[in-house]
Amino acid sequence: MKGIEQIYYNDFGMSFYWKERNVVKSEKIQLVFKETGFYFTVPELKHFVTLIEESARRNGCCENCEMKHRCAKFLLKTPVSQIDLAVSMKELDSIKDLVEGTLFKIKLEEYIYGVGMN
Protein backbone atom coordinates (compact mmCIF):
# COMPACT_ATOMS: atom_id res chain seq x y z
CA MET A 1 0.00 0.00 0.00
CA LYS A 2 1.18 3.50 -0.77
CA GLY A 3 1.28 6.25 1.82
CA ILE A 4 2.30 9.89 1.70
CA GLU A 5 4.73 12.19 3.43
CA GLN A 6 3.28 15.69 3.50
CA ILE A 7 5.54 18.56 2.51
CA TYR A 8 3.27 21.62 2.73
CA TYR A 9 -0.40 22.56 2.76
CA ASN A 10 -2.69 25.58 2.85
CA ASP A 11 -6.46 26.05 2.66
CA PHE A 12 -6.32 25.56 -1.10
CA GLY A 13 -4.27 22.38 -1.48
CA MET A 14 -1.33 20.29 -0.40
CA SER A 15 1.96 18.83 -1.59
CA PHE A 16 3.50 15.54 -0.63
CA TYR A 17 5.89 12.76 -1.55
CA TRP A 18 4.53 9.29 -2.25
CA LYS A 19 5.79 6.50 -0.01
CA GLU A 20 6.04 2.91 -1.11
CA ARG A 21 6.79 0.23 1.51
CA ASN A 22 7.66 3.06 3.94
CA VAL A 23 10.29 4.45 1.55
CA VAL A 24 9.79 8.08 0.51
CA LYS A 25 9.94 8.57 -3.25
CA SER A 26 11.40 12.08 -3.38
CA GLU A 27 12.16 12.33 -7.12
CA LYS A 28 8.81 14.00 -7.73
CA ILE A 29 6.33 16.01 -5.69
CA GLN A 30 2.57 15.47 -5.86
CA LEU A 31 0.80 18.86 -5.88
CA VAL A 32 -2.98 18.73 -5.38
CA PHE A 33 -5.44 21.64 -5.59
CA LYS A 34 -8.81 22.33 -7.25
CA GLU A 35 -9.48 18.57 -7.55
CA THR A 36 -6.39 18.39 -9.76
CA GLY A 37 -3.11 16.62 -9.14
CA PHE A 38 0.24 17.34 -10.74
CA TYR A 39 3.36 15.22 -10.32
CA PHE A 40 6.32 17.61 -10.65
CA THR A 41 10.07 17.55 -10.25
CA VAL A 42 11.73 20.42 -8.34
CA PRO A 43 12.81 22.16 -11.59
CA GLU A 44 9.21 21.92 -12.85
CA LEU A 45 7.96 23.47 -9.58
CA LYS A 46 10.45 26.32 -10.00
CA HIS A 47 9.20 26.82 -13.56
CA PHE A 48 5.62 26.86 -12.23
CA VAL A 49 6.54 29.72 -9.87
CA THR A 50 7.81 31.70 -12.87
CA LEU A 51 4.59 31.01 -14.78
CA ILE A 52 2.51 32.07 -11.76
CA GLU A 53 4.45 35.33 -11.41
CA GLU A 54 4.08 36.06 -15.14
CA SER A 55 0.34 35.41 -14.90
CA ALA A 56 0.02 37.69 -11.86
CA ARG A 57 1.78 40.51 -13.77
CA ARG A 58 -0.40 40.05 -16.87
CA ASN A 59 -3.67 39.84 -14.96
CA GLY A 60 -2.94 42.01 -11.92
CA CYS A 61 -5.26 44.87 -12.71
CA CYS A 62 -7.24 44.56 -9.48
CA GLU A 63 -5.93 47.60 -7.61
CA ASN A 64 -8.68 49.96 -8.78
CA CYS A 65 -11.34 47.34 -9.41
CA GLU A 66 -14.49 47.06 -7.30
CA MET A 67 -14.42 43.25 -7.49
CA LYS A 68 -10.89 43.03 -5.94
CA HIS A 69 -9.69 39.50 -6.73
CA ARG A 70 -13.21 37.98 -6.99
CA CYS A 71 -13.77 38.57 -10.69
CA ALA A 72 -13.77 36.32 -13.71
CA LYS A 73 -11.12 33.71 -14.17
CA PHE A 74 -8.14 33.76 -16.49
CA LEU A 75 -5.82 31.04 -17.76
CA LEU A 76 -2.72 30.05 -15.80
CA LYS A 77 -0.11 28.16 -17.79
CA THR A 78 1.44 25.12 -16.12
CA PRO A 79 4.73 23.29 -16.71
CA VAL A 80 2.63 20.78 -18.68
CA SER A 81 2.38 22.59 -22.01
CA GLN A 82 -0.97 20.98 -22.88
CA ILE A 83 -2.65 22.12 -19.63
CA ASP A 84 -3.77 25.61 -18.61
CA LEU A 85 -5.94 26.23 -15.54
CA ALA A 86 -8.82 28.69 -15.21
CA VAL A 87 -8.20 30.54 -11.92
CA SER A 88 -9.18 33.75 -10.17
CA MET A 89 -6.58 36.11 -8.72
CA LYS A 90 -7.36 34.82 -5.21
CA GLU A 91 -6.82 31.24 -6.38
CA LEU A 92 -3.59 32.31 -8.09
CA ASP A 93 -2.33 33.73 -4.78
CA SER A 94 -3.16 30.44 -3.03
CA ILE A 95 -1.43 28.38 -5.71
CA LYS A 96 1.63 30.63 -5.47
CA ASP A 97 1.74 30.16 -1.68
CA LEU A 98 1.39 26.39 -2.10
CA VAL A 99 4.19 26.09 -4.66
CA GLU A 100 6.57 28.52 -2.93
CA GLY A 101 5.87 26.94 0.47
CA THR A 102 6.61 23.52 -0.99
CA LEU A 103 9.91 24.68 -2.47
CA PHE A 104 10.86 26.39 0.80
CA LYS A 105 10.19 23.24 2.83
CA ILE A 106 12.18 21.10 0.38
CA LYS A 107 15.15 23.49 0.55
CA LEU A 108 14.91 23.62 4.35
CA GLU A 109 14.92 19.82 4.60
CA GLU A 110 17.89 19.62 2.22
CA TYR A 111 19.79 22.11 4.39
CA ILE A 112 18.90 20.52 7.72
CA TYR A 113 19.74 16.99 6.61
CA GLY A 114 22.57 18.02 4.26
CA VAL A 115 24.87 21.01 4.72
CA GLY A 116 23.42 21.92 8.12
CA MET A 117 24.28 18.62 9.76
CA ASN A 118 27.36 18.64 11.95
Side-chain angles (χ1 to χ4, degrees), residues 60-74:
C61 57
C62 295
E63 297 310 313
N64 299 319
C65 179
E66 291 177 19
M67 294 295 287
K68 279 279 194 215
H69 304 287
R70 295 183 310 271
C71 60
K73 299 184 183 253
F74 54 89

Side-chain angles (χ1 to χ4, degrees), residues 5-91:
E5 182 162 316
Q6 185 174 293
I7 302 169
Y8 186 78
Y9 73 94
N10 63 17
D11 290 339
F12 198 67
M14 68 181 295
S15 61
F16 57 88
Y17 294 117
W18 283 105
K19 287 169 75 173
E20 193 167 337
R21 296 187 188 116
N22 287 329
V23 176
V24 175
K25 302 182 76 130
S26 60
E27 306 84 40
K28 290 192 172 190
I29 297 97
Q30 184 76 58
L31 191 69
V32 179
F33 59 88
K34 286 188 70 164
E35 294 90 32
T36 304
F38 290 100
Y39 203 39
F40 289 144
T41 62
V42 170
E44 288 170 328
L45 278 176
K46 290 177 180 177
H47 183 181
F48 200 20
V49 169
T50 302
L51 294 170
I52 292 166
E53 289 170 347
E54 288 173 4
S55 187
R57 275 192 298 278
R58 275 194 319 272
N59 298 290
C61 57
C62 295
E63 297 310 313
N64 299 319
C65 179
E66 291 177 19
M67 294 295 287
K68 279 279 194 215
H69 304 287
R70 295 183 310 271
C71 60
K73 299 184 183 253
F74 54 89
L75 290 178
L76 167 63
K77 293 194 175 301
T78 71
V80 182
S81 62
Q82 299 90 338
I83 299 174
D84 292 346
L85 301 172
V87 298
S88 68
M89 193 57 95
K90 183 174 179 166
E91 290 169 331

